[in-house]
Amino acid sequence: MTDKEREKALDLLARTRVTLQTAVDGVTAEESVWKPIPERWSILEYVEHLAISDDGLISMVKRIMAEPPTPETPEQRAEREQHIRSTPIARGTNHAPAALVPPGRFATVSEAMAAFEAARDRTLEFARTVDGDMRSHFANHSVLGPLDAYQWLTANARHVEMHAAHIRELREQWAAQSSQ
């Protein structure tokens, strides 16, 4: 990882931590478990999912970094990255690998946020200290196809960003239905 890539990853990871903190600030106990439909996750479930997935994604990055590298040409990388940029990610009900489905381990958003904060601290430490060519180690994403280890690391930040938006959406829906 280049110094510039490391700086970008650390900034994204730190910034999206604040994004999630802001999204859940002031959530009430009742609001945290409300769902507009049974298939959607609640705010509490989103935060728990993020606490689990932050560590899960870093474990995967460590695992693929331990495998032999598979270098790609600049043309191959450009083609792969163009595919990623042009692939839409459908928004619907929540679909996560079984290991990342929130098991209901936390009773409050505060507890889930504490677990997320601890996981994000570990992610930031990994990003500060990881060594090696992260661009030559790959794992498949279920929608986007192959992502390199650096893309998986920064996807950890983007993942939080996406679910913070879902939390804000739930809060708006909660406010609308509560005012009726």
Side-chain angles (χ1 to χ4, degrees), residues 39-51:
E39 296 80 24
R40 285 283 305 269
W41 286 345
S42 67
I43 292 170
L44 177 57
E45 288 169 319
Y46 274 117
V47 177
E48 183 171 12
H49 166 71
L50 291 169

